[in-house]
Amino acid sequence: MKEQLERIKAQAMAALEQAADTSELEALRVKILGKKGELTAVLKTMGKLSAEERPVMGQMANSVRASIEACLDQRRQELAALALQAKLEAEAVDVTIPGEQVSLGHRHPMNIALEETKEIFIGMGFQILEGPEVELAEYNFTKLNTEEGHPARDWSDTFYLKEDSSVLLRTQTSPMQIRAMEAIQHPPIRILAPGRVFRKDEVDATHSPMFHQIEGLVIDKGITMADLKGTLETLVKSLYGEDSVVRFRPHHFPFTEPSCELDVQCFKCHGAGCPTCKGEGWIELLGAGMVHPKVLEVCGIDPEVYSGFAFGIGLERMAMRRFQISDLRLIFENDIRFLRQF
Ligand code: DAH
């Protein structure tokens, strides 16, 4: 029995040294010390020993068990330390490696121009409104004094969404005048309505089937053409500098009377004529006018009591002037190399 115990101890120690991980270690523990283990099997035969031998062998068996348990513990700690070290190595972070550069975007020139314009008008007490891009012909045309048969309503210019021409993609932001008057009802009304508009135009350096306008409307008692001129001059001077020169030119729009267009003197040639202004000396910026009495009436506002002015700015055109962009397509192509310049 003594030899048996010594053999078990020697074999156990050797096997434990070899164990590569904790599960192997556990399997060994069961194999040696478990209920059906080798040591246990030897102990079960103790009964057959003589009375003198039994305490001696018992003591020896206990010491073998203690040695094996101590060895098990030690190996368990070694393996845990090894595992921790491996894990730390695997998870090691080199804090000296330079971080990945996140490239920061910035505002699109159109947004810059829009924000600037909004700020100017908010400063003058205007309220910003938004409205539908899919619009009723009634709002886009009829209520704006543009009757059936008017050339502006032609199918060749407008994206109609219904056979009966009752629904369309708005061709201008002017229907927002009607929506504002119907919604607010009681002047004073001072609104600015930026948004997308759509026309059946081929894409070229100055045209796009989708572009942006900013509509403005002011209604109150005693509003005159002088208010229109003062407001729009303020806009141009804020955008293009105090020394900008503007001129108002007579024009026709169905929903304003009188109507005009505002030109700004070319900032390149100061009126002499150059390629930027196509030799004109002046650059057209927006359409405007005094709100037609019929339009006020349609919206339930008494034209005998109230008057007002309206204007429509082409936002692309304004951004192109502001940043000296020569081709409209650049604005929509989102080429990073182009956009980075602003
Ligand atoms: N809606 C016009 C257009 O698209 C621009 C315009 C002209 C708007 C005169 C106005 C205005 O509010 O009074 O050409």
Side-chain angles (χ1 to χ4, degrees), residues 171-174 177 199 211 213 215-216 253 255-256 259-260 286-290 309-313:
T171 61
Q172 51 186 358
T173 44
S174 300
Q177 293 184 32
R199 289 182 197 173
F211 56 103
Q213 287 187 337
E215 195 74 15
F253 297 104
F255 40 89
T256 43
S259 304
C260 62
L286 55 86
M290 300 306 292
F309 67 86
F311 54 90
I313 312 168

Side-chain angles (χ1 to χ4, degrees), residues 119-186:
E119 284 305 314
I120 293 163
F121 280 102
I122 288 170
M124 292 193 273
F126 282 63
Q127 187 187 338
I128 311 292
L129 283 190
E130 276 183 27
E133 290 169 6
V134 172
E135 185 54 284
L136 299 170
E138 198 189 345
Y139 282 77
N140 195 83
F141 294 128
T142 316
K143 289 186 170 188
L144 285 164
N145 197 30
T146 313
E147 298 297 335
E148 299 278 354
H150 191 284
R153 302 183 71 140
D154 207 285
W155 270 74
S156 62
D157 298 330
T158 304
F159 292 106
Y160 284 101
L161 301 180
K162 279 195 162 177
E163 284 291 328
D164 67 1
S165 308
S166 60
V167 183
L168 44 76
L169 295 181
R170 66 180 176 191
T171 61
Q172 51 186 358
T173 44
S174 300
M176 287 307 292
Q177 293 184 32
I178 308 295
R179 292 193 174 272
M181 285 189 270
E182 286 185 354
I184 302 172
Q185 276 296 316
H186 303 288

Side-chain angles (χ1 to χ4, degrees), residues 49-163:
L49 296 176
S50 66
E52 301 87 61
E53 272 182 317
R54 211 176 294 152
V56 182
M57 282 302 123
Q59 207 177 11
M60 184 172 175
N62 277 340
S63 114
V64 166
R65 184 183 188 92
S67 305
I68 293 175
E69 274 174 351
C71 184
L72 252 172
D73 265 354
Q74 194 197 338
R75 187 67 188 145
R76 197 175 283 134
Q77 280 173 22
E78 277 171 24
L79 286 174
L82 282 174
L84 179 63
Q85 196 185 344
K87 187 166 182 252
L88 288 176
E89 270 167 22
E91 289 175 0
V93 173
D94 182 352
V95 292
T96 65
I97 293 175
E100 249 175 64
Q101 283 282 333
V102 178
S103 62
L104 262 192
H106 63 90
R107 287 186 305 163
H108 191 283
M110 286 282 283
N111 264 319
I112 300 173
L114 175 60
E115 288 303 319
E116 281 178 359
T117 310
K118 277 198 211 167
E119 284 305 314
I120 293 163
F121 280 102
I122 288 170
M124 292 193 273
F126 282 63
Q127 187 187 338
I128 311 292
L129 283 190
E130 276 183 27
E133 290 169 6
V134 172
E135 185 54 284
L136 299 170
E138 198 189 345
Y139 282 77
N140 195 83
F141 294 128
T142 316
K143 289 186 170 188
L144 285 164
N145 197 30
T146 313
E147 298 297 335
E148 299 278 354
H150 191 284
R153 302 183 71 140
D154 207 285
W155 270 74
S156 62
D157 298 330
T158 304
F159 292 106
Y160 284 101
L161 301 180
K162 279 195 162 177
E163 284 291 328

Side-chain angles (χ1 to χ4, degrees), residues 120-121 124 126 188-190 216-236 246 248 258 260 262 286 288-291 305-311:
I120 293 163
F121 280 102
M124 292 193 273
F126 282 63
I189 296 172
R190 279 192 294 270
L217 175 71
V218 172
I219 309 282
D220 204 352
K221 286 179 179 158
I223 297 288
T224 70
M225 197 87 184
D227 299 300
L228 179 161
K229 291 178 76 174
T231 306
L232 295 178
E233 255 190 72
T234 302
L235 167 73
V236 172
V246 298
F248 291 87
C260 62
L262 179 152
L286 55 86
M290 300 306 292
V291 180
V305 181
Y306 294 105
S307 57
F309 67 86
F311 54 90

